[in-house]
């Protein structure tokens, strides 16, 4: 038996630098200057790394707040 687990790699252009991430921890590192903003956002919102819309909404929020 085996189980297929989806694995997405996302890219974000942050401060003129293209950076990749595939999990919340890596996304937090990219936005380490907004540590409190991302922590508050993640408490209020369930971000699914397998859902492109969810990830996009998180990035848009991070870029426009803090």
């Amino acid at each position: 038996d085996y189980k297929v687990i989806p694995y997405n790699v996302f890219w974000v252009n942050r401060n003129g630098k293209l950076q990749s991430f595939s999990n919340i921890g890596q996304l937090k590192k990219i936005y380490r200057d907004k540590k409190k903003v991302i922590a508050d956002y993640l408490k209020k919102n369930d971000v699914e790394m397998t859902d492109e819309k969810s990830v996009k909404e998180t990035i848009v929020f991070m870029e426009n707040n803090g």
Side-chain angles (χ1 to χ4, degrees), residues 10-46:
F10 298 94
W11 292 86
V12 63
N13 188 347
R14 176 107 162 104
N15 301 322
K17 184 178 177 186
L18 200 57
Q19 298 181 59
S20 67
F21 64 95
S22 58
N23 60 49
I24 294 293
Q26 292 171 344
L27 183 62
K28 285 180 177 179
K29 285 182 183 177
I30 293 171
Y31 288 99
R32 65 176 56 110
D33 59 321
K34 297 184 178 188
K35 197 178 252 185
K36 176 143 177 48
V37 175
I38 196 165
D40 290 344
Y41 183 85
L42 292 173
K43 282 181 189 174
K44 295 175 186 171
N45 300 280
D46 184 30

Side-chain angles (χ1 to χ4, degrees), residues 47-61:
V47 179
E48 285 292 325
M49 295 306 291
T50 55
D51 178 18
E52 292 178 29
K53 184 176 180 241
S54 174
V55 174
K56 180 181 177 182
E57 289 170 353
T58 304
I59 293 169
V60 169
F61 181 86

